[in-house]
């Protein structure tokens, strides 16, 4: 079950650049009953592992913008470290974490659907926006494991003139670094399920690689829309649980 789950999530990540933390952590909470802080830590390290092959494909194809990536990491690295540390202090506030993760998922999915249906105009070069906005994304990733894919993609479309392929590739590398750092903090505090992580990653590495390799041959937009609609449902379930038990 975990092998197949990891494969499917990673395949979607390889194609769309969206889904590592946004899908994984909610499913681990809802389907497997993991405590929110353990689900977030496990999802972060899973995201790191599955983004390695997918990110490598985009990097080898020259679909990563180094300057944009540097600006993203400038703000995202301190953000994700702070967010991860905040979550370690809120282990007792599970309902609050459920609510915040759910709100993040719904916001990310809603923004992604808005972009898909309305379409965004070609972005203007606004490089000064990348570090401060990436700090907020990093904070969210460290706290909920969600946001790097959907929010990072939206930020790059808004603040750069990169091609869609370079947006996905640059954001994948950005998310990879954030997942490693945030997951490392959670691992240090014992908020990772190693056995589950291994099972997820064993399917996820292959899924991420195949997704990236087939990204140019698959209809990206229908898959992205289906994924985002599923995320809206999952996010709403998390919000309901956080509010109902709060």
């Amino acid at each position: 079950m975990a092998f197949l789950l990891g494969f499917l999530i990673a395949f979607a990540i390889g194609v769309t650049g969206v889904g590592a933390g946004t899908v994984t952590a909610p499913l681990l909470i809802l389907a497997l009953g993991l405590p929110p802080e353990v689900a977030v830590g496990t999802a972060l390290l899973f995201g790191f592992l599955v983004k390695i092959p997918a990110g490598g494909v985009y990097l080898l194809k020259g679909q990563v913008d180094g300057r944009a990536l540097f600006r993203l990491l400038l703000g995202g690295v301190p953000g994700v470290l702070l967010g991860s540390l905040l979550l370690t202090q809120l282990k007792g506030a599970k309902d609050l974490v459920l609510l915040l993760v759910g709100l993040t998922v719904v916001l990310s999915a809603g923004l992604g659907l808005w972009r898909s249906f309305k379409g965004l105009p070609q972005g203007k070069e606004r490089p000064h926006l990348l570090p401060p906005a990436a700090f907020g994304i990093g904070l969210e990733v460290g706290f909920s494991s969600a946001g790097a894919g959907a929010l990072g993609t939206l930020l790059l479309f808004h603040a750069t003139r990169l091609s869609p392929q370079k947006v996905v590739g640059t954001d994948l590398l950005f998310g990879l670094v954030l997942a490693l750092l945030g997951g490392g903090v959670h691992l240090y505090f014992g908020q990772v399920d190693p056995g589950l992580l291994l099972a997820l990653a064993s399917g996820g590495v292959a899924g991420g690689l195949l997704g990236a390799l087939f990204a140019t041959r698959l209809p990206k937009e229908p898959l992205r829309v289906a994924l985002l609609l599923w995320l809206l449902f999952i996010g709403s379930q998390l919000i309901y649980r956080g509010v109902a038990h709060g």
Side-chain angles (χ1 to χ4, degrees):
M1 174 65 179
F3 178 91
L4 180 61
L5 188 66
F7 178 88
L8 293 175
I9 293 172
F11 186 82
I13 294 167
V15 175
T16 68
V18 177
T22 316
V23 175
T24 312
L27 284 180
L28 295 181
I29 295 169
L30 292 172
L32 301 181
L34 259 64
E37 66 276 5
V38 177
V40 169
T42 304
L44 280 168
L45 287 182
F46 169 72
F48 165 68
L49 292 172
V50 301
K51 284 180 178 178
I52 291 175
V57 170
Y58 282 95
L59 195 61
L60 289 173
K61 290 184 176 181
Q63 301 292 359
V64 175
D65 186 280
R67 285 183 291 184
L69 178 60
F70 173 77
R71 291 187 176 101
L72 288 172
L73 293 175
L74 200 61
V77 167
V80 73
L81 293 175
L82 180 58
S84 298
L85 290 171
L86 280 174
L87 183 57
T88 65
Q89 304 302 314
L90 291 172
K91 286 196 292 184
K94 292 184 180 180
D95 294 326
L96 175 61
V97 176
L98 282 174
L99 180 61
L100 290 175
V101 173
L103 287 171
T104 302
V105 171
V106 168
L107 175 64
S108 300
L111 288 172
L113 284 170
W114 175 79
R115 185 178 69 82
S116 294
F117 289 131
K118 294 291 244 182
L120 289 180
Q122 183 67 39
K124 296 179 181 178
E125 286 290 343
R126 301 182 182 96
H128 60 283
L129 294 180
L130 293 178
F135 176 83
I137 294 173
L139 193 67
E140 183 57 56
V141 170
F143 192 81
S144 73
S145 85
L151 298 180
T153 297
L154 287 168
L155 174 60
L156 287 170
F157 269 113
H158 178 70
T160 74
R161 293 181 178 176
L162 298 178
S163 68
Q165 293 83 1
K166 282 197 173 184
V167 165
V168 173
T170 303
D171 189 55
L172 269 172
L173 267 292
F174 173 56
L176 187 153
V177 175
L178 294 192
L180 173 62
L181 294 175
V185 172
H186 286 280
L187 183 64
Y188 177 79
F189 286 100
Q191 296 174 354
V192 173
D193 186 323
L196 180 60
L197 174 63
L198 181 62
L200 288 168
S202 60
V205 170
L209 180 59
L210 285 175
L213 289 173
F214 288 122
T216 57
R217 303 177 186 178
L218 294 174
K220 292 184 184 180
E221 215 47 37
L223 179 60
R224 182 186 291 272
V225 170
L227 173 64
L228 292 172
L229 289 171
W230 173 241
L231 291 177
L232 278 177
F233 173 75
I234 291 176
S236 66
Q237 292 299 305
L238 289 173
I239 292 172
Y240 172 76
R241 288 197 178 195
V243 172
H245 299 133

